[in-house]
Amino acid sequence: MSTVQGYLRAAIAVVAVAAACSPAPPGAPPQPQQSAITHAIVPVPSSVALLPGESFLVDSTVEVVVEDITTNPGDRALADQLATLLRATGSSGPMVGAYDVSSGRRRIVLARGATGLGPEGYDLTISGSAVRITAESAPGLFYGIQTIRQLLPSAVEHPAALSRALRIPAGHIKDAPRFTWRGAMLDVSRHFLSSRDVKGFIDLLALYKMNRLHLHLSDDQGWRIEIKSWPNLTAIGGRGEVGGGQGGFYTQDEFRELVSYAAARFVTIVPEIDMPGHTNAALASYGELNCDGVARAPYAGIRVGFSALCAERDTVYRFVSDVVREIGALTPAPWFHIGGDEVEKISHDAYRAFIERVQGIVQSHGKVTIGWGEISPANLSPATIVQHWKRDSSFVHAARGGKVILSPSKKLYLDMKYDSATVLGLKWAAIIDVRDSYDWEPGTYLEGVPESSVLGIEAPLWSETLEKRSDFEYMAFPRLAVVAELGWSAPANRSWENFRLRLAAHGPRLSGLGVNFYRSPQIPWLQ
C-alpha cells in the first residue's frame, strides 16, 4: 500500500469509527442516510454513493477531455485547470486531449448536458476506467472538479510532490447548491491586503464552492481603489490604516485583473463603498465632501459612527455618481454595495433621503443596490438587496418582495474570537467557535423573513486586529468551511457530528496549501 493510499484509508477509517462512536444528542435530527461518513467532502453533497475498494488511478495514461469543445470552447480552460492539479512537478501526469471515443485511453470527461440540478449543479460518475462530470453550465463543471479535488488525498495540494499515487474513489455523486449567494467579505480598508493575498483567498473560496467575494474598499481608515476623477482618494485617503501603517490601494488595472482572476474561479467580486458613514478617508481627501468645506485629519483608530458625508451638498452626489460609474465599469457584476451602516451624524430623515437618492444613482449606472440592514426603512426598490448583520428591519424589505443576505454577527462574523484566549479578533458580538457558527438554520433564522426571501449567506471578516494574510487566514479558517456548508448543503444532509469529522480530514489539506488555520479543539484533526 502506498503512503497516499494508507492516508486515505486511515482518514476514512477514522471518520467512520468516530461517527459510529458519537451518538447524536437528544432531540437532534437523524443522521443522513447516505455514505457521508466514508468521505470528507465539504460542503456535503446532495447525494453520495461511493464503492469501497474500487478507484480510478490517475497517471500519465489518463487524458482530461471536453466532450463537445466545439460548442463549449471555454471548457478547455477547466480541463487545463484539472490536468494541472493532477500533475506533479518533475513527473508525468494527465494531459488535455481531444475527445475520441475510439482512443481506448482512460479519460476524465467534462460534459455539458441536462441534469435537472440547475446551473451550478453537477453529476459525477467515477469508475475504474473513466470519470465523467456532467453539468448544465461551466460553474457546475468547476464545482464537480472541486469535489474530485477533495476526494483525492491531500498530497494533490503539494505541486512539488514526486511520484504521487493519486486515486479517486469510485462512485456516483449528484450535487447542487441550496442558496445562490455563498460569500465572504474582506475588509481591506482597516488593514490593506495585496492583490496576491486576495487571490489566495479567492482560491480558498473556490475550493469550498463559494461564489461571492464582497470587498469592503473604503472606510474611515483607508480608501483602497483608484478613482481617476477624484485622485486624492488614493493619494491621501489610501495612505493610512489602523495603527498608522502605510496602507495601500488597487489601481484600476489591478482591480480589473482581480475581477478576472475571480471570475475564472466562478467567484464574483462585489465592491462596497461605505456611505454616508465610515467615510473619514474620503472626508480627509476632499474638504468639499464635508458640510464645512474643511478636510478632516486622517484617522487610524477603530471607533465608528463619527464620520458622515454632507447629505445636503450636491457635490457629494456628483462624487457618489463618479465613484459608482468608475468602479462599476471595472466589474461585470450586477451589484454595487453602498454600506449604509452605523451612521450617527445625520438625522433619520436625512439618512433615508440620502439612501434613496444614492439607490437611484446606482440604478442609473445599471447596477443593483446592496446595503447593510440599516437601509431597510428607506423607500427601497424590491430589486435592492439588504444585508442583515444585527437586529434590523429586514422583514420590512422582505415584505415588499426584496431579498436578504444573512450575515448575523453572532454566527458569521469571522473576526470574532474563537475563545477567550484568542489573541486576534474582537468579541463585541460573541465568542464564536466552529460549532457556534454551524448550529443555526438560515431558512428560519429571521422572524418575518421566509426562506424564499433569503438570497444566501455571507461571512464578513473585519480587520481591526488583522495586519497580514496569515492573520486573515487564522480567523477565517476553519469557520469559512462552515459558511460553505450552510450556504450549499440542504438541512437534511447536515449534522454537526458528521461535519466535524469531515472537517478533521481537511487539516492536512489546509496545511498542504500553507493556510494558517485555527486548530479548534472541537475538531479531531488528522495529522
Side-chain angles (χ1 to χ4, degrees):
M1 180 188 300
S2 71
T3 302
V4 171
Q5 288 174 303
Y7 163 76
L8 182 58
R9 293 186 183 180
I12 290 174
V14 168
V15 172
V17 171
C21 296
S22 301
Q31 297 293 310
Q33 298 300 307
Q34 58 175 335
S35 56
I37 59 172
T38 64
H39 69 82
I41 302 170
V42 176
V44 66
S46 306
S47 171
V48 180
L50 298 183
L51 302 175
E54 186 177 351
S55 62
F56 179 88
L57 174 65
V58 180
D59 60 20
S60 58
T61 69
V62 171
E63 281 186 339
V64 180
V65 300
V66 177
E67 186 171 74
D68 189 355
I69 200 164
T70 302
T71 305
N72 302 295
D75 292 350
R76 169 63 189 251
L78 297 176
D80 287 335
Q81 286 182 25
L82 179 55
T84 300
L85 173 71
L86 297 174
R87 294 186 202 120
T89 301
S91 64
S92 60
M95 302 298 292
V96 176
Y99 185 76
D100 180 1
V101 176
S102 65
S103 72
R105 294 177 68 91
R106 294 186 308 115
R107 298 187 303 271
I108 302 175
V109 181
L110 308 185
R112 298 289 190 101
T115 63
L117 298 170
E120 293 184 297
Y122 63 91
D123 187 303
L124 172 61
T125 303
I126 306 159
S127 69
S129 59
V131 175
R132 183 181 180 88
I133 309 171
T134 304
E136 296 177 7
S137 65
L141 294 176
F142 181 80
Y143 295 136
I145 290 171
Q146 304 318 304
T147 293
I148 288 176
R149 181 177 178 181
Q150 291 192 23
L151 285 170
L152 289 163
S154 59
V156 77
E157 310 300 352
H158 295 268
L162 301 178
S163 303
R164 301 176 300 178
L166 298 180
R167 288 184 175 273
I168 308 171
H172 185 206
I173 296 173
K174 297 182 74 172
D175 204 6
R178 179 184 184 187
F179 293 115
T180 60
W181 193 286
R182 306 178 303 280
M185 188 213 79
L186 283 180
D187 171 15
V188 296
S189 295
R190 291 180 174 89
H191 282 104
F192 182 65
L193 278 181
S194 69
S195 293
R196 179 179 179 182
D197 290 340
V198 175
K199 288 178 182 177
F201 196 78
I202 290 169
D203 289 337
L204 294 169
L205 293 178
L207 171 62
Y208 290 105
K209 304 184 177 79
M210 300 181 73
N211 63 355
R212 303 285 185 266
L213 176 58
H214 169 180
L215 286 181
H216 186 75
L217 293 167
S218 69
D219 213 296
D220 292 316
Q221 299 84 357
W223 185 282
R224 305 304 182 203
I225 185 167
E226 176 189 22
I227 304 297
K228 294 183 183 295
S229 56
W230 297 76
N232 284 354
L233 290 170
T234 48
I236 297 174
R239 294 189 303 194
E241 61 183 20
V242 167
Q246 66 179 5
F249 65 92
Y250 311 115
T251 67
Q252 291 197 0
D253 285 342
E254 287 172 332
F255 190 78
R256 190 180 289 108
E257 204 272 328
L258 263 182
V259 168
S260 177
Y261 185 91
R265 291 148 183 82
F266 299 94
V267 174
T268 301
I269 289 181
V270 180
E272 179 191 354
I273 299 296
D274 209 344
M275 60 182 93
H278 289 276
T279 48
N280 195 78
L283 301 178
S285 301
Y286 288 97
E288 57 264 45
L289 302 179
N290 299 281
C291 288
D292 62 6
V294 178
R296 300 296 184 254
Y299 179 70
I302 62 173
R303 181 172 63 88
V304 301
F306 65 90
S307 63
L309 296 171
C310 185
E312 299 95 50
R313 284 198 166 201
D314 287 339
T315 302
V316 165
Y317 299 100
R318 178 170 61 84
F319 160 77
V320 170
S321 184
D322 288 341
V323 168
V324 175
R325 172 179 52 79
E326 290 198 32
I327 296 177
L330 302 176
T331 171
W335 309 287
F336 192 96
H337 203 304
I338 64 169
D341 59 316
E342 297 179 317
V343 180
E344 299 175 3
K345 293 299 183 181
I346 62 177
S347 70
H348 177 70
D349 288 345
Y351 171 79
R352 285 189 54 169
F354 177 89
I355 294 299
E356 291 163 12
R357 187 167 176 180
V358 169
Q359 176 184 242
I361 291 171
V362 172
Q363 291 171 338
S364 74
H365 290 290
K367 301 294 184 179
V368 174
T369 304
I370 306 177
W372 297 104
E374 287 94 323
I375 75 170
S376 295
N379 183 23
L380 301 180
S381 162
T384 291
I385 299 166
V386 166
Q387 186 165 2
H388 164 83
W389 68 282
K390 66 174 184 177
R391 186 174 181 179
D392 59 29
S393 302
S394 292
F395 65 92
V396 172
H397 190 54
R400 62 168 72 102
K403 296 293 186 180
V404 177
I405 297 168
L406 298 181
S407 300
S409 56
K410 294 182 181 296
K411 295 293 185 180
L412 293 190
Y413 267 37
L414 300 177
D415 55 306
M416 294 296 108
K417 293 177 179 290
Y418 291 99
D419 59 26
S420 59
T422 307
V423 174
L424 297 171
L426 303 171
K427 57 182 181 180
W428 58 262
I431 290 177
I432 307 174
D433 209 330
V434 182
R435 183 165 190 173
D436 300 314
S437 59
Y438 193 88
D439 279 347
W440 65 290
E441 169 45 46
T444 58
Y445 183 77
L446 280 183
E447 185 176 355
V449 180
E451 181 170 340
S452 59
S453 296
V454 176
L455 186 61
I457 65 173
E458 181 180 295
L461 181 52
W462 303 101
S463 65
E464 286 94 336
T465 68
L466 314 180
E467 298 183 9
K468 52 188 181 298
R469 176 175 174 172
S470 60
D471 295 342
F472 282 79
E473 290 176 345
Y474 186 80
M475 299 306 288
F477 290 93
R479 290 181 294 196
L480 205 59
V482 170
V483 182
E485 180 140 314
L486 289 173
W488 182 281
S489 304
N493 290 336
R494 292 192 281 106
S495 76
W496 164 249
E497 286 302 325
N498 185 273
F499 173 77
R500 68 189 286 267
L501 298 170
R502 282 181 287 114
L503 183 60
H506 283 247
R509 190 173 301 276
L510 291 171
S511 294
L513 289 166
V515 177
N516 180 38
F517 68 98
Y518 170 65
R519 292 185 175 271
S520 168
Q522 296 179 336
I523 310 301
W525 298 103
L526 296 181
Q527 299 301 316

